[in-house]
């Protein structure tokens, strides 16, 4: 890290047509300026399967981290979200699995079952 100052830009009021503003030249200018001022540009968006904002902005940040909720986000939904982001050449850098229930089926056992079923 170069020790540059970090910053946060809050979302502000709800917009009637966010896609037009997020894809505007003014937004691109802002992101370009932030790239010069900060080490990383992180943009938190709504779910990409519900709103186009995430897909539109996915290429503007330094990378994309998908967030999935244990027991609620289906594999199909996760694959669809990943496909959408890959179609726009987003830099996919990881996945966060939240709300994991430690008392549920062992993740290790579930992974091994899934892995060996697919590779056998």
């Amino acid at each position: 890290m170069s020790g540059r100052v970090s910053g946060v830009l809050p979302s502000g009021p709800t917009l009637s047509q966010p896609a037009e503003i997020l894809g505007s030249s003014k937004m691109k200018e802002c992101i370009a300026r932030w790239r010069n001022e900060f080490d990383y540009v992180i943009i938190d968006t709504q779910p990409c399967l519900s709103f186009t904002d995430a897909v539109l902005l996915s290429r503007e940040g330094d990378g994309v981290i998908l967030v999935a909720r244990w027991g609620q986000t289906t594999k199909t939904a996760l694959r669809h979200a990943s496909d959408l982001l890959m179609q726009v050449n987003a830099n996919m850098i990881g996945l966060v699995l939240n709300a994991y229930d430690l008392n549920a089926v062992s993740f290790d056992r579930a992974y091994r079952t899934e892995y060996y079923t697919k590779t056998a």
Side-chain angles (χ1 to χ4, degrees), residues 45-103:
T45 68
Q46 296 105 336
C48 66
L49 294 180
S50 302
F51 302 92
T52 58
D53 304 2
V55 177
L56 290 173
L57 289 171
S58 65
R59 294 180 57 197
E60 303 299 334
D62 290 309
V64 173
I65 299 174
L66 281 175
V67 179
R69 187 171 182 86
W70 176 261
Q72 290 188 1
T73 305
T74 65
K75 289 180 188 178
T76 302
L78 199 53
R79 282 190 193 109
H80 184 59
S82 178
D83 288 345
L84 283 173
L85 294 165
M86 285 191 292
Q87 286 174 11
V88 297
N89 297 318
N91 180 22
M92 303 271 293
I93 59 174
L95 169 73
V96 170
L97 179 63
N98 67 15
Y100 177 69
D101 182 359
L102 293 174
N103 296 318

Side-chain angles (χ1 to χ4, degrees), residues 8-63:
V8 175
L9 178 65
S11 65
T14 302
L15 304 170
S16 60
Q17 297 180 336
E20 289 180 13
I21 293 169
L22 295 174
S24 71
S25 60
K26 184 68 172 170
M27 181 67 171
K28 291 187 187 316
E29 289 172 21
C30 287
I31 292 173
R33 187 177 72 238
W34 298 332
R35 286 203 179 286
N36 288 327
E37 293 178 23
F38 305 108
D39 292 325
Y40 301 99
V41 176
I42 300 170
I43 303 170
D44 184 18
T45 68
Q46 296 105 336
C48 66
L49 294 180
S50 302
F51 302 92
T52 58
D53 304 2
V55 177
L56 290 173
L57 289 171
S58 65
R59 294 180 57 197
E60 303 299 334
D62 290 309

